[in-house]
Amino acid sequence: MSVDIGIIGLPQSGKTTVFNALTQGKADTVSHTAEGLTPHIGIVKVPEPRLRVLDEMLHPKKVVPVEARYIDVGASVKVLAQDKGIGGELLNQLSSVDTLISVIRAFIDDSIPYPEGSLDIKRDIATLNLELVFSDLAIIERRLERIETSLKGAKPPERQGLLREQEILMKFKSDLEKDMPIRELTLDPGEARIIANYQFLSAKPILIAVNIGEDQLPQAASLEVEINSPYLGEKCHAITLCGKLEMELAQLENGAAQEFRAEFGIKESGLERTIKLSYELSGLITFFTVASNEVRAWSIKKGTTALKAAGKIHTDMEKGFIRAEGIGYDALVRCGSIAEARKRGLLRLEGKDYIIQDGDIITFLFNV
Ligand SMILES: Nc1nc2c(ncn2[C@@H]2O[C@H](COP(=O)(O)OP(=O)(O)OP(=O)(O)O)[C@@H](O)[C@H]2O)c(=O)[nH]1
Ligand SMILES: [Mg+2]
């Protein structure tokens, strides 16, 4: 499974530029027209320094990182919501992503129009948030109407379920009406189940990518702190990113790109950071398998059991699961090899209910 990340933002905020930077793509930054809404889709390897260490230690023939899939739907949620055809389809696609990146314009260039009339980072963040909230409200209102109709002819057991759903949706509705995105609510397990069914946009983790111009790089760090202060949370994080520069750097070779970054005083690749953060916000952790000359990284939701993790690799592994043999990444690095870890008795045997930890190196034992 790859991680799916949807890029949203107001017109001309730099969505396609950021998409190109992330995916080293060359998608046209010419505006999409109403008839020509075609999403850009690109696949990226999630940067994982631990894979490099495992590669050096184990010398596999092949190293396989986790992949993230980025989709630039090319329009704001508001525009998509108004369009019943392709817009609606794209909105559905957006509903199935794990995480959203909201591109907010901060670069100053008067030759490129400001859709809201002026440059205002905070206003645009709020606008984007509202678009997600409105989209969810529309879904809830439609569903509530349908529940109302179904209740008329419903028999007792079905009736109970409908009433419960109605109650939860009404609660979400009143929070949304106060402009509160669902991602900021504390949910009980029943509510969380309902959420999962609907794939609400405002429930998704969101990375606010503030697209700055090169001339704003000296203030990038302080701007980031300032924007994060009202928004930072388990499911929300803001970063500053120089989309245009990163897009140009993405076309260069690694060494040359690094030199450029040093010149501009950029410490870490903005892209690697964006990819890493959007991955982390998705609530995913990484574990590794070592088999037949291949070291591979896998992504799973935090809290996944060994049994379910095995099922991600192959359904046979889940069906015939016997046990898992595992070691944490740090412990393996301290031992220097799997053989040494085995000698020291550090390879743990775990049952199907074991909760996989980030960095675990796991071998599943199973019957076919
Ligand atoms: N000066 C400057 N221009 C930028 C920057 N980032 C993007 N642009 C320009 O802004 C324009 C819009 O960028 P896009 O990436 O196409 O924006 P978009 O959000 O995909 O636009 P639509 O898809 O039309 O809504 C393009 O002409 C970009 O070259 C930047 O950091 N500085
Ligand atoms: Mg675009």
Side-chain angles (χ1 to χ4, degrees):
M1 179 196 83
S2 69
V3 187
D4 283 0
I5 293 156
I7 301 174
I8 56 170
L10 292 172
Q12 299 288 291
S13 55
K15 300 180 293 297
T16 305
T17 304
V18 168
F19 170 85
N20 279 338
L22 288 169
T23 60
Q24 307 200 337
K26 297 189 174 74
D28 213 335
T29 57
V30 167
S31 274
H32 293 293
T33 58
E35 315 85 62
L37 279 178
T38 31
H40 301 128
I41 295 176
I43 292 176
V44 179
K45 297 178 172 60
V46 177
E48 176 50 84
R50 291 174 295 189
L51 269 180
R52 206 170 317 132
V53 176
L54 291 175
D55 187 17
E56 278 160 20
M57 183 195 294
L58 305 166
H59 308 292
K61 283 216 178 83
K62 206 171 150 199
V63 174
V64 188
V66 169
E67 288 181 336
R69 209 169 69 108
Y70 286 86
I71 161 165
D72 168 21
V73 291
S76 71
V77 169
K78 187 173 155 197
V79 168
L80 294 181
Q82 286 158 354
D83 181 340
K84 292 284 170 262
I86 181 79
E89 255 169 63
L90 288 176
L91 204 55
N92 281 342
Q93 264 193 56
L94 212 49
S95 303
S96 68
V97 304
D98 298 293
T99 296
L100 296 170
I101 293 184
S102 165
V103 178
I104 302 292
R105 174 165 175 182
F107 68 86
I108 299 159
D109 185 337
D110 291 334
S111 69
I112 296 161
Y114 300 92
E116 307 278 299
S118 63
L119 185 78
D120 188 334
I121 299 172
K122 288 194 175 141
R123 177 202 59 208
D124 288 353
I125 293 175
T127 304
L128 255 294
N129 225 352
L130 277 186
E131 289 187 358
L132 302 177
V133 163
F134 280 138
S135 159
D136 288 349
L137 265 177
I139 294 171
I140 289 185
E141 272 155 18
R142 279 200 300 273
R143 179 62 193 150
L144 281 173
E145 275 170 29
R146 238 173 289 148
I147 290 179
E148 209 46 64
T149 317
S150 308
L151 272 173
K152 285 179 188 135
K155 301 247 161 17
E158 189 198 351
R159 191 178 170 77
Q160 223 168 23
L162 286 169
L163 285 172
R164 171 83 179 122
E165 190 181 343
Q166 187 182 45
E167 182 193 347
I168 292 173
L169 290 180
M170 295 285 269
K171 185 167 160 253
F172 286 158
K173 183 167 174 248
S174 94
D175 285 318
L176 287 166
E177 279 166 349
K178 291 177 214 130
D179 297 346
M180 176 94 85
I182 297 174
R183 84 180 93 85
E184 284 177 16
L185 309 177
T186 318
L187 308 176
D188 66 36
E191 293 169 338
R193 234 185 352 263
I194 292 270
I195 286 290
N197 284 339
Y198 283 102
Q199 302 182 309
F200 288 123
L201 291 178
S202 83
K204 293 183 189 301
I206 191 162
L207 182 66
I208 300 172
V210 178
N211 184 18
I212 58 172
E214 283 165 30
D215 49 329
Q216 291 160 305
L217 275 168
Q219 299 100 51
S222 59
L223 184 61
E224 199 170 294
V225 173
E226 188 193 323
I227 297 167
N228 260 314
S229 77
Y231 294 105
L232 188 66
E234 194 190 332
K235 291 188 174 168
C236 185
H237 197 114
I239 53 163
T240 48
L241 180 75
C242 189
K244 202 171 169 196
L245 178 68
E246 291 288 352
M247 173 172 149
E248 284 156 11
L249 292 182
Q251 317 289 346
L252 297 179
E253 274 174 48
N254 234 338
Q258 249 155 31
E259 257 172 55
F260 260 94
R261 280 207 180 85
E263 233 168 81
F264 279 101
I266 309 176
K267 283 194 200 72
E268 199 186 357
S269 149
L271 297 182
E272 288 208 359
R273 244 183 114 213
T274 308
I275 297 171
K276 230 162 50 187
L277 273 171
S278 52
Y279 181 73
E280 282 167 15
L281 277 171
S282 306
L284 297 163
I285 57 167
T286 305
F287 73 95
F288 305 96
T289 55
V290 179
S292 39
N293 262 324
E294 179 186 281
V295 172
R296 184 187 282 255
W298 302 85
S299 70
I300 43 167
K301 288 263 177 234
K302 227 180 268 171
T304 303
T305 60
L307 183 69
K308 288 291 164 207
K312 273 210 53 166
I313 298 175
H314 202 290
T315 44
D316 284 348
M317 277 198 187
E318 184 174 345
K319 276 189 219 139
F321 185 93
I322 303 170
R323 60 179 181 271
E325 190 181 57
I327 181 168
Y329 171 80
D330 290 332
L332 179 61
V333 169
R334 275 196 299 275
C335 293
S337 73
I338 291 187
E340 180 61 22
R342 193 180 300 280
K343 214 166 84 191
R344 294 194 205 168
L346 289 176
L347 287 181
R348 294 174 272 116
L349 285 182
E350 306 283 6
K352 61 182 184 348
D353 295 328
Y354 169 71
I355 303 290
I356 304 280
Q357 303 295 311
D358 185 52
D360 275 353
I361 290 106
I362 299 265
T363 306
F364 295 104
L365 306 170
F366 63 106
N367 275 323
V368 270

